[in-house]
Amino acid sequence: MVSKWRELADRLRAEIEAGRYKPGEPLPHIRELVDRGEGSKTTVQTAYKALEAEGLVMSSRGHGTVVQERPTLKRLGTQRYDKVKWRDDDQVAFIADRVASGREYKRSDQTQTISRVPASADVAKAHGLPEGAEVYARARLVKEKGRPTHTLTSYYLPEHVEGTRLIDPTPGPAGKGGGFRVLYEAGYEPDSMTEVLRARKATQDEAELLQIRSGEPVVELHRTTRTADGTVIEYAIGVHIASRFSWEYEFRIPDSARDGQGRG
């Protein structure tokens, strides 16, 4: 059974994220919520302290409890996959985003579940398999200060990952350098990828997992990673809370007319 203060904190958080209380605006005074029947003084104070611990609000004498600015996390583009980060260092993609955003992180911010599952139509198509063929699914839930930010589930061919750290369910990245480092060391060096994004509303199951309101906007990511010879070594599907991220891309602007000179 969920405690009264937790119910209140969850409801206020949802109202803050929905924009009912904007940055710089105060939440209702404790006495006001008590008079409205939201709980005892202790219940309201505990809920406010929980929101403050999450960085959503700040309490001060004379100003009450005020909603704080909540900068979004940078979700980097190509820079988050720089081989120097995971091949030569220990900066997996979600950590690269945190570093670029100036935010703290712990490796245990990522938890994971490993299972062997029948390939869905999308997974089968990506890997060139018949639908229903068995693949490994590595499902991750990533949090910041205890609150989920996104999920990411990667699907691998068994012959690529069996016997590697990628099927170890220990929380955190799959050892130094994470999953890409594991594939690289197994002889499957990531060389190129395709990312497809679409915005939609969260399903009920996603809302429960991500601790958001059902129907809140999310960004669904489909990522296909290949070796230099075109072998697909990972197909991943992620669901990101839209309000928690800004998506940042830096790239060279192509000039197909100039780049194609001399070919023919």
Side-chain angles (χ1 to χ4, degrees), residues 1-223:
M1 181 176 177
V2 179
S3 59
K4 184 82 172 178
W5 70 264
R6 174 52 66 190
E7 287 183 353
L8 178 58
D10 288 346
R11 185 162 64 255
L12 289 169
R13 184 189 307 105
E15 291 177 349
I16 291 170
E17 292 176 344
R20 178 176 177 183
Y21 300 107
K22 295 179 171 52
E25 292 183 352
L27 294 183
H29 289 295
I30 291 174
R31 174 51 58 189
E32 181 182 339
L33 292 183
V34 172
D35 291 344
R36 276 165 37 184
E38 297 286 1
S40 67
K41 181 178 179 180
T42 299
T43 295
V44 179
Q45 286 177 330
T46 304
Y48 277 15
K49 285 179 181 177
L51 295 175
E52 189 169 7
E54 294 177 22
L56 284 176
V57 301
M58 180 174 62
S59 298
S60 63
R61 285 185 179 277
H63 297 282
T65 301
V66 177
V67 177
Q68 291 204 88
E69 290 283 353
R70 195 178 190 190
T72 55
L73 279 164
K74 289 182 181 179
R75 201 281 186 180
L76 300 176
T78 56
Q79 307 99 310
R80 73 196 306 266
Y81 301 120
D82 188 339
K83 294 183 182 182
V84 169
K85 297 183 187 299
W86 52 264
R87 182 193 60 204
D88 305 331
D89 199 353
D90 190 20
Q91 201 175 110
V92 300
F94 93 85
I95 292 178
D97 292 340
R98 297 283 176 87
V99 171
S101 303
R103 307 278 267 271
E104 296 178 355
Y105 67 87
K106 297 179 292 187
R107 293 178 70 82
S108 58
D109 284 344
Q110 174 183 295
T111 60
Q112 54 204 1
T113 302
I114 310 297
S115 56
R116 193 157 171 160
V117 300
S120 66
D122 283 352
V123 174
K125 181 179 179 181
H127 279 292
L129 299 170
E131 189 172 345
E134 284 202 335
V135 294
Y136 274 103
R138 180 172 172 244
R140 281 96 81 201
L141 176 65
V142 182
K143 300 181 178 182
E144 184 188 25
K145 294 184 178 180
R147 297 288 300 176
T149 60
H150 66 288
T151 66
L152 185 69
T153 301
S154 296
Y155 298 91
Y156 307 100
L157 297 183
E159 58 265 34
H160 290 168
V161 299
E162 283 184 338
T164 74
R165 300 189 306 273
L166 272 174
I167 55 175
D168 180 351
T170 303
K176 184 174 182 179
F180 283 178
R181 175 76 168 266
V182 173
L183 292 166
Y184 170 77
E185 292 175 346
Y188 303 104
E189 180 175 359
D191 182 76
S192 66
M193 66 173 55
T194 301
E195 289 190 340
V196 179
L197 311 174
R198 73 181 182 100
R200 60 173 175 79
K201 294 181 178 180
T203 66
Q204 183 62 47
D205 287 345
E206 290 167 347
E208 291 178 5
L209 181 61
L210 293 170
Q211 299 176 27
I212 56 177
R213 293 171 294 108
S214 180
E216 183 168 332
V218 295
V219 176
E220 182 177 297
L221 163 77
H222 288 240
R223 180 177 81 195

